[in-house]
Structures are given as structure tokens and as C-alpha cells.
Amino acid sequence: MSMVSASGLGTLLFLIFIGPVIYLLRYLYAEYVVAHKHGEVNVIHASDGREILSSRAYIFALVGYAIGIGNVWRFPYVIASNGGAAAVVAYLICAVCVAWPLFIYELILGQYLRLTFVRAWEAIRPRWLSFGWAQFLLLFIAQSYFSMIITYTLSGSCQEPLPWTGNTTSQEYWQDTILNSFSDLHDKPGGLGPIQWKLALSLLVFWLITFFSVAFGKNILSQITYVTVTMPVVLMIILVIVTTQKPGASAGIQFYIGKFELSELGKLQVWATALGQILFSLSPGFGTAITYSSFVSHKEDVYRAGMIVCVANTAFSLLGGFAVFSIVGYLAEQEGKTVEEVATRSGTGLAFITIAEAMSFFGNAQNVMSVLFYVMLLTLGLDSSYAWTETLVSSVEETLKSKGCHFPTWRVTLALCITMFLFGLVFTTRMGNEVLDVIDMYVGTIFLLAVCFIESIIFNLDFGWKRTKYALQAATFGSKHHPKGRDMFPKFLCRFDFHVAVPVATGLLFTYQIVNVGRTPYGGYPMSLLAWGWTMLALCLVTVLLTIWRSEKSSLPSIKDDSCFKELFDSVNQATLAGSFGEKGENGKNGGQSLPNGEDSEDGKDSEDGEQPVNCPTLDP
């Protein structure tokens, strides 16, 4: 008979209350020592009333968004099933050449336009409005099933003995107790099966936590994010220190970074999986990077923030790999099997089956280690969930305001949380995990590749490299470290990524994945189940096309008339430019502004005459 574990419960309570205690001490210090009100530096307000995140809050929010449960849930399996170290190399190349650049371009775009992602695409050109809708749909669907994955972390760690030990294996506990899955998907009653009330209740708890974290403004959310970003990092370091000292850990690490097979890099599937992982993990294409950057100062160095986030995301994945493969190596030695056998036998359920099984080998510390591991997964998931929900809420609010409708943030948040909870109930049924797996593949992987490809086309055709570069220079012009404005670095690689690497890689791998799932039924699932994936994918793709027929010009001003670049252009010595590059215009035509570095006006078309330049808001003093 299972009892409550004192060590597991104690660890859980400690992790729950450590955050509030730290904040109480910080508040008392700020109130009585520093003598300013706690939290004022996190969010300030622009002259138009728009909330503006401080640099620290902005970076923490982005780090929390980018470092998610996928860094631990999906990353180790991707590496294990694609040749070990060869997959790590493919992952790093895809990160540097595709995911990192696209993520940073999104940050620059959001800061420049100061619009959430749906209206940002419309501002670039009205025909891309429905692309924004499709991106909203992608985020809505991904958040709905992602919330279910997070709720899987809430079961069993505080029971003694652990419920998946003794006569019940972790595989049986996962399949029969948590999921209550059908034993044979090809021979079962019709439908998805009944809702599992424990999963539904856990899902409700998750959405209540998310609602109360997001509904009351960015200042409250920024306070919560400090804990939910810091805690997983601390817990991961503890896990790495403990697990790497276990017998067999070296064999797991050797498989992770030492088993390099060059031939694996010749397989397109390895690259497709690696790119899919870094895109899902760092999450360009979901609109959150654009939306968050629309809420920072127009002088924020988003390139610096982006590099911090990109490096932190990849570093956490690699660090997590050491912890997971140390546990896998330890388990392999205990069972007398190879590391590859153990690492791949559970599929993407590695964190919930194989790692859970390994916890029983930690003796008296098994409950403590289990709580540490699954609370880490929970906080990782909550960070990303907060960011995605905040993105959806901000987008809806901005769209409603543009139509003259004003609703309190908590009402918009409540409506979205209820809707996603109801849709998420599909994943609490007996076939819910299989539906989740299918939708994750067709929407969270295949359509995400399509979204990133379309984004790169929009950047190239309707936004332009030069506007992207000048937006970054203008934002950092006059800063301490970049008084003349920051340039893209390394310039050649950034431009190659912008024009070639990102569109070619995402377009090619999207096509490959479509052909692959078209030829071979994904996961060996029955067609009735795969219909969920094809339907969702078709719905997203059709949504992209709804406004593609519109022919209106961009609402963006030409580069030389853009008020956001005025300070940058005015700093250029006109006499020097005239002698070196030739004067642009005559007698002050086009505002008397010449472009830096002797560039032409822009690589896209100028806006129509009479259009108003984008306003760069200034903060209240």
C-alpha cells in the first residue's frame, strides 16, 4: 500500500515555498533598505499607456519562454534516436544557421513595429494578415496540447514507495495508470474513449495556475518568471552533479557526446529532426518573440538579448543531456543493456518512463530525486506556457482595441484559458496521448516548418535585409557600447542566413516531412487517428491563404522617410557621403537624408506617397 513520502513531500513543499520566501526578503530589503517600491523597475509605461518591460524582465521572460520542457522531454530522445553525437552536431548547425537568426530577426521586427505578431504581419503587407491568423492557430493548438504534457509531471513523486516500482513497471504505470491507453489501437471500441478524470483535474489545476499568473498584468508575471526561470537551472545543476557520479553514467555520456558517426549527417531525417527540435525548443515562428519585443523600449538592444536567450536555450539542452544520459547509462548498467536500447525504447516518453524507472535506483533518495526532476519539468513547462498565453492574450487585446473594443485583461485571459482547457480535454481521453503525438507531428513540427519558411519569405520580399539592419542600428544608436549603432555580426553569415539558409532549410525540410508522412503512416497509427493530424494541418494551411489575394501596398514608410531611422540618418555627415558615395536627391529632397554605408534606399518597394511613418514611442519621464 502506497503512503505519502515524507522526503518527497518535504522536498516539494520546500520548492513551493522557497520562491515566496525569497520574494518576501526582497520586498523587505527594497522597502526598508533601498527605500523604493518593489517591482517598479520591471514594467514602466509609454506615453500611450503601453506597458514596457525593463531589460531584465524582458530577458528573463524570453529565457523562460525559450527554455521549456522540450529541452528535456524531446531533446534526449532526438539525440538518442539519431546517432548520438552526430545529432548534436546537426542540432548545433541548425541552431546557429537557422533558428538563432530567425529568432533574432523576430525580436528586431517586434521592437521596430511595436505591434503584436498578427498586426505586425498585416502592417508589413495586408496580404499577410491571414498568415498571422494561422500563426495564432498554431500557437493555440500547441498551447492546448503542451498543457497536457505539463500535467503529466504532477503524478506519483510523493508516494512511498514510488507507484511505478515493485510489481508495476514504469511502462505499465505510464500506460495503464496515467494514460489508461488502449492496448491495441487497431482493435478497440469506436471513438477516443472516456475522459480520464485525474488527467482532467490536473489540466484544470494547470489552467488555474496559468490564469492567475497571466491575468493581472506583466508586472505580476515578471515576478513569477524570476522564480520559474531560476529554479529549473538550479535543479538541473543539482541533477547533473548527482547523476554524473552514478555507476554507468560515463557510458551514457560517451553515447551522448562521444559516439560520432559521420555517415549519420548524410541522412536527411537526422537534419529534419534536429531542425524540428531546435525550432520547437527556441520557438521562432510562434509569434511570442515578436510580441514580447513590442513591449520593450525602442532603444533596447534586442540583438544582445536574443544572443543571451539563444545561447542559454542551447546550453540548457546540452546540460540537460548530461543529466538524462547519465541516468540512462546508470539504468543500462543496472539492467545489463546497451545505452541505445534504454534511451530509445520509450520514444518521446523517455522522461516519463525511462527516467521514472531510474529513480528507483536512488535508494532512500528516490522520492527526493523524483520530486526534483518532475518539479523541474513542471517549472520549465510553466514558463513557456505563461509566454504563449501572454502572447495570445496580447494579440487578442490589441486586435480588439484596433476595433474600438476594450476589455479588462483578466476577461480576455479567462476566455482564452477556458477555451484551451475545453479543447485540451481531448488529450485527457484514453486515446489522448496518441492524438497529442499526431498533432504534435503534423502541427507542432510540419506546420511550424511551413510557418518559419513563410516568415523568411516575408522578411526577404516585403520587409528587407536593409530595413532589418537599420532597425537594429537605430535601436542601439548612441548606446554606451555601440555609439554608432550595432551591426549584424558576423555580417556575411547573418546575410547568408537571411537570404539562403533559413528559407532553404525550412522549405526543404517541410517538403521532406510532408512527403515522408504521406508515404508512410506516422507512428504506424490507424488512419482514423492520423485524420486528426491531417485535418489540423489542412486547417492551418488554408488559413494562411485567406487574405493572400489582397494587393494593397505595405503601410510601412520607405526607409529614407522612416522616423525611426531619423536619428541614425541625421548623424551621417552629408558632406562626407556626398564626396564618397554621391548625394541622394537634390536640394534636400526626400528629407535630406542619406543612408549609412552608401546603401540604396531599400531592397523592397517604397511605400506609396502620403503614408505616415511608423512612430517610435518615447517613455514617460
Side-chain angles (χ1 to χ4, degrees):
M1 180 178 178
S2 295
M3 300 175 60
V4 175
S5 166
S7 59
L9 183 60
T11 304
L12 180 61
L13 291 175
F14 172 79
L15 294 175
I16 289 174
F17 288 107
I18 187 64
V21 169
I22 290 174
Y23 272 119
L24 176 61
L25 294 176
R26 282 187 60 194
Y27 173 82
L28 293 174
Y29 177 79
E31 188 72 19
Y32 297 106
V33 180
V34 184
H36 65 73
K37 293 183 179 179
H38 180 65
E40 283 188 341
V41 296
N42 293 319
V43 179
I44 52 183
H45 294 271
S47 56
D48 59 358
R50 190 178 183 85
E51 289 183 302
I52 303 296
L53 295 171
S54 68
S55 295
R56 182 177 61 177
Y58 173 57
I59 292 175
F60 264 84
L62 285 176
V63 170
Y65 159 63
I67 299 179
I69 196 172
N71 295 69
V72 181
W73 164 57
R74 285 175 53 154
F75 178 76
Y77 173 72
V78 167
I79 301 305
S81 60
N82 288 278
V88 175
V89 172
Y91 172 85
L92 291 174
I93 293 174
C94 289
V96 173
C97 294
V98 181
W100 289 14
L102 187 58
F103 184 78
I104 290 173
Y105 300 150
E106 288 184 345
L107 299 182
I108 296 171
L109 176 67
Q111 181 190 39
Y112 167 72
L113 291 178
R114 310 194 69 73
L115 296 170
T116 59
F117 68 100
V118 174
R119 295 197 63 218
W121 299 123
E122 182 185 20
I124 292 174
R125 196 158 187 178
R127 68 171 42 166
W128 300 120
L129 173 60
S130 59
F131 172 68
W133 296 341
Q135 202 170 40
F136 184 95
L137 188 58
L138 163 67
L139 186 55
F140 179 90
I141 294 172
Q143 172 67 330
S144 297
Y145 73 73
F146 186 74
S147 62
M148 191 68 250
I149 297 170
I150 299 171
T151 63
Y152 292 152
T153 66
L154 299 177
S155 303
S157 295
C158 291
Q159 295 182 34
E160 188 174 8
L162 292 172
W164 52 83
T165 58
N167 297 326
T168 303
T169 66
S170 59
Q171 178 78 35
E172 292 170 341
Y173 179 74
W174 170 251
Q175 294 289 344
D176 300 336
T177 305
I178 300 296
L179 302 178
N180 191 22
S181 299
F182 291 111
S183 58
D184 187 352
L185 295 178
H186 297 272
D187 183 20
K188 66 172 188 61
L192 299 178
I195 290 174
Q196 308 303 295
W197 70 268
K198 288 184 179 180
L199 288 180
L201 182 60
S202 297
L203 187 64
L204 177 62
V205 170
F206 165 84
W207 280 113
L208 286 173
I209 294 172
T210 301
F211 169 74
F212 284 110
S213 298
V214 175
F216 302 104
K218 293 177 177 57
N219 195 40
I220 296 296
L221 182 57
S222 67
Q223 303 297 323
I224 297 170
T225 302
Y226 289 146
V227 172
T228 55
V229 169
T230 306
M231 183 181 291
V233 176
V234 174
L235 296 181
M236 178 60 78
I237 292 173
I238 293 172
L239 284 171
V240 169
I241 292 172
V242 173
T243 56
T244 52
Q245 299 180 47
K246 288 292 181 181
S250 59
I253 295 173
Q254 174 67 21
F255 176 84
Y256 176 42
I257 60 174
K259 179 195 170 187
F260 182 79
E261 297 179 10
L262 185 61
S263 60
E264 291 292 319
L265 295 179
K267 298 178 180 178
L268 196 56
Q269 180 60 40
V270 172
W271 292 95
T273 308
L275 180 58
Q277 170 59 28
I278 183 59
L279 289 179
F280 187 88
S281 175
L282 186 58
S283 300
F286 284 97
T288 299
I290 297 173
T291 299
Y292 267 19
S293 293
S294 72
F295 291 105
V296 297
S297 164
H298 67 282
K299 300 301 288 183
E300 180 71 39
D301 188 349
V302 296
Y303 185 90
R304 169 180 166 272
M307 288 305 300
I308 291 173
V309 173
C310 289
V311 171
N313 172 268
T314 300
F316 192 88
S317 289
L318 295 174
L319 180 65
F322 280 96
V324 171
F325 281 102
S326 294
I327 294 174
V328 169
Y330 175 45
L331 184 58
E333 179 166 299
Q334 298 296 314
E335 296 182 353
K337 298 179 179 178
T338 66
V339 173
E340 187 169 11
E341 278 184 282
V342 175
T344 59
R345 69 186 179 190
S346 318
T348 52
L350 177 65
F352 301 106
I353 300 175
T354 303
I355 304 302
E357 189 174 342
M359 292 301 168
S360 62
F361 294 113
F362 284 94
N364 294 332
Q366 59 182 273
N367 286 100
V368 173
M369 291 301 298
S370 183
V371 167
L372 287 175
F373 185 78
Y374 288 108
V375 167
M376 179 190 68
L377 291 183
L378 174 64
T379 51
L380 285 172
L382 287 175
D383 279 333
S384 298
S385 175
Y386 295 157
W388 281 356
T389 304
E390 170 72 11
T391 301
L392 293 170
V393 169
S394 297
S395 179
V396 170
E397 280 189 314
E398 189 171 78
T399 300
L400 290 174
K401 288 178 181 177
S402 70
K403 305 297 183 184
C405 301
H406 298 272
F407 293 96
T409 299
W410 72 266
R411 289 189 180 181
V412 177
T413 307
L414 180 62
L416 284 169
C417 288
I418 290 175
T419 305
M420 286 187 282
F421 166 71
L422 293 176
F423 181 66
L425 289 176
V426 170
F427 308 113
T428 68
T429 61
R430 293 191 66 181
M431 280 185 66
N433 191 59
E434 289 78 14
V435 174
L436 186 156
D437 186 33
V438 168
I439 294 179
D440 178 51
M441 177 61 184
Y442 284 81
V443 178
T445 299
I446 296 177
F447 184 63
L448 177 59
L449 285 169
V451 165
C452 292
F453 171 71
I454 296 171
E455 271 197 17
S456 68
I457 297 302
I458 297 173
F459 271 111
N460 275 279
L461 296 184
D462 290 326
F463 195 73
W465 165 259
K466 290 171 186 172
R467 190 184 295 272
T468 305
K469 184 178 70 170
Y470 291 147
L472 176 61
Q473 282 186 290
T476 53
F477 180 80
S479 64
K480 179 179 178 181
H481 299 292
H482 303 280
K484 296 182 179 180
R486 181 193 284 275
D487 203 355
M488 297 284 189
F489 179 83
K491 191 172 183 179
F492 171 78
L493 179 60
C494 290
R495 189 150 195 177
F496 174 78
D497 293 338
F498 190 92
H499 294 302
V500 180
V502 176
V504 169
T506 54
L508 178 63
L509 294 177
F510 165 72
T511 304
Y512 170 78
Q513 292 284 29
I514 282 286
V515 172
N516 196 35
V517 297
R519 287 178 176 175
T520 307
Y522 172 68
Y525 292 129
M527 288 306 299
S528 59
L529 184 56
L530 295 178
W532 280 86
W534 284 113
T535 301
M536 293 295 181
L537 177 59
L539 178 62
C540 292
L541 290 173
V542 168
T543 302
V544 172
L545 303 175
L546 292 180
T547 61
I548 199 72
W549 53 269
R550 294 176 63 175
S551 58
E552 298 101 313
K553 299 291 185 180
S554 171
S555 62
L556 302 180
S558 64
I559 287 181
K560 60 182 174 292
D561 295 328
D562 196 326
S563 64
C564 290
F565 304 147
K566 186 177 185 302
E567 183 183 24
L568 176 65
F569 294 165
D570 285 349
S571 70
V572 178
N573 188 308
Q574 298 296 321
T576 302
L577 282 179
S580 301
F581 308 115
E583 190 71 33
K584 305 291 184 183
E586 52 186 72
N587 298 325
K589 187 177 179 180
N590 296 332
Q593 293 178 345
S594 298
L595 305 184
N597 307 321
E599 304 272 13
D600 294 331
S601 61
E602 59 182 306
D603 28 7
K605 293 181 179 180
D606 285 355
S607 299
E608 292 180 325
D609 293 338
E611 289 179 344
Q612 296 301 313
V614 175
N615 291 321
C616 298
T618 56
L619 301 181
D620 288 334

